[in-house]
Amino acid sequence: MEAFLNSSDELHGFAVARAAGRPTGSVYPILARLEQAGWLESRWEDEHPREGRPRRRFYSLTSDGAAASRAVVLERRGELPSRRSSGKLRPAMRLITHWGNAW
């Protein structure tokens, strides 16, 4: 999630995978779940910038996603109390805490 917080622009899925240091096969399902949870919005690229390359899907944080992402990043850095202590994590939070510091 830090990749989104550190960028004012939309990010395509491969850029997110590269920033997270994870394979795209594991990142794209996570992006889909975060979008379903309301943390991300996405759109397909309108044109092919280069011949032979498929269109890219661009992702951006929603306002709820930005607030939640900041909290997750601060928690990971040890600057917030752990949400695990409450035992009540939203589905997207369970996903993020599962992947640890990759985001």
Side-chain angles (χ1 to χ4, degrees), residues 48-54:
H48 302 287
R50 287 185 293 159
E51 187 69 29
R53 186 180 59 72

Side-chain angles (χ1 to χ4, degrees), residues 15-93:
V16 174
R18 186 175 44 218
R22 300 284 184 180
T24 56
S26 64
V27 170
Y28 284 112
I30 293 168
L31 292 172
R33 287 185 212 123
L34 290 171
E35 188 172 15
Q36 288 174 349
W39 286 29
L40 294 177
E41 296 174 327
S42 70
R43 69 170 183 84
W44 284 101
E45 186 173 44
D46 294 331
E47 299 177 12
H48 302 287
R50 287 185 293 159
E51 187 69 29
R53 186 180 59 72
R55 289 185 309 152
R56 296 179 288 188
R57 191 167 187 161
F58 285 89
Y59 298 87
S60 60
L61 285 172
T62 63
S63 57
D64 288 344
S69 295
R70 284 186 197 94
V72 168
V73 169
L74 289 174
E75 180 183 328
R76 287 282 162 201
R77 291 180 182 165
E79 297 173 22
L80 281 180
S82 173
R83 292 177 186 246
R84 291 181 185 187
S85 60
S86 70
K88 295 181 180 180
L89 294 177
R90 293 184 304 182
M93 291 298 294

